Amino acid sequence: MSFVSHMDEALAEARAAAARGEVPVGAVLVAPGGEVIARAGNRTRELRDPSAHAEMLVIRAACAAAGSERLPGHVLYVTLEPCAMCAAMIAAARIARVVYAAPDPKSGGVDHGARVFTHPQAHHAPEVLGGIGEEEAAALLRDFFAARRD
Amino acid sequence: MSFVSHMDEALAEARAAAARGEVPVGAVLVAPGGEVIARAGNRTRELRDPSAHAEMLVIRAACAAAGSERLPGHVLYVTLEPCAMCAAMIAAARIARVVYAAPDPKSGGVDHGARVFTHPQAHHAPEVLGGIGEEEAAALLRDFFAARRD
């Protein structure tokens, strides 16, 4: 599986989130062996939980399944740059690499704002790769918010 | 109820967490009317969930109970300076005020490291008051980690 096909799976989760009336962000988590072990879209509205971002949901699910608070060697694919909350969770779980699609200058916490991985205090900084699938991810978000403004 | 008595309740949660073998941090969430609507200690080990910090647990519980992703006017008491993950969750939930006991130069994300509330990008910055009950909260953490090193 390539970067692009894993991001395609994350984009499918983002589209499913939009269909549920959630902000369209999706994520998949890939184990060191290459298999997708968790996939999720945003569920903050459905669960009435401001922490129910796609990234949080896949990491929590994978940790519960693994019986571990840490997921070394795992790769997270997510359609939007993680916020500071998710970035700190990614560090806590020792995720090896984060591949994201669209940057988020408004709420991102990786390459914008709090830049959680860049502080000397960060206990773990994953490899970060942005821009894979950016156009489709950004279009999903743009369409979603445009429709809600109508 | 005063600052000190709410922090005493959070400290009781921290002691209960230590008794369960969890890092001793506790939190209580106080509604605008003054009642404590959620209390929790760390449960990251028990739940195998790196997001199961005391702050996250009380905010998630209160949001679920309220059927809302936002908790305006609520006050969070927590025995340790929140990390970047919890700080971003606090902002997302629109918590009005955060009262914490011990500062956390190593992992704190409010007055150290990522300083999540200070970025122009922060959508909401609660009032923050640190140092209430600091000595007892810090002693709990010190004793816990000293015992684990023996």
Side-chain angles (χ1 to χ4, degrees), chain A residues 48 60 67 106-108 121 123, chain B residues 48 67 106-108 121 123:
Chain A
R48 303 280 197 275
R60 292 179 61 208
K106 188 164 158 275
S107 301
Q121 185 215 49
H123 306 310
Chain B
R48 302 282 197 273
K106 187 164 160 276
S107 302
Q121 183 216 46
H123 306 310

Side-chain angles (χ1 to χ4, degrees), chain A residues 44-45 48-51 56 60 63-64 67-69 84-85 88-89 92-93 104-108 112-114 116 119 121 123, chain B residues 44-45 48-51 56 60 63-64 67-69 84-85 88-89 92-93 104-108 112-114 119 121 123:
Chain A
T44 59
R45 276 148 220 226
R48 303 280 197 275
D49 178 354
S51 79
M56 291 288 274
R60 292 179 61 208
C63 284
S68 169
E69 292 170 65
M85 175 183 71
M89 170 71 154
D104 187 357
K106 188 164 158 275
S107 301
H112 296 90
V116 167
H119 298 278
Q121 185 215 49
H123 306 310
Chain B
T44 58
R45 276 150 219 224
R48 302 282 197 273
D49 178 353
S51 80
M56 292 288 273
R60 293 178 60 206
C63 284
S68 169
E69 292 171 66
M85 175 183 72
M89 169 72 154
D104 188 358
K106 187 164 160 276
S107 302
H112 297 90
H119 298 278
Q121 183 216 46
H123 306 310

Side-chain angles (χ1 to χ4, degrees), chain A residues 123-148:
Chain A
H123 306 310
H124 171 81
E127 195 185 334
V128 174
L129 185 62
I132 308 289
E134 170 173 352
E135 236 170 275
E136 186 171 355
L140 274 172
L141 286 158
R142 209 163 42 232
D143 293 351
F144 179 81
F145 287 110
R148 290 169 60 94

Side-chain angles (χ1 to χ4, degrees), chain B residues 91 95-96 117-118 122-128:
Chain B
I95 301 287
F117 303 138
T118 66
H123 306 310
H124 170 81
E127 193 185 334
V128 175

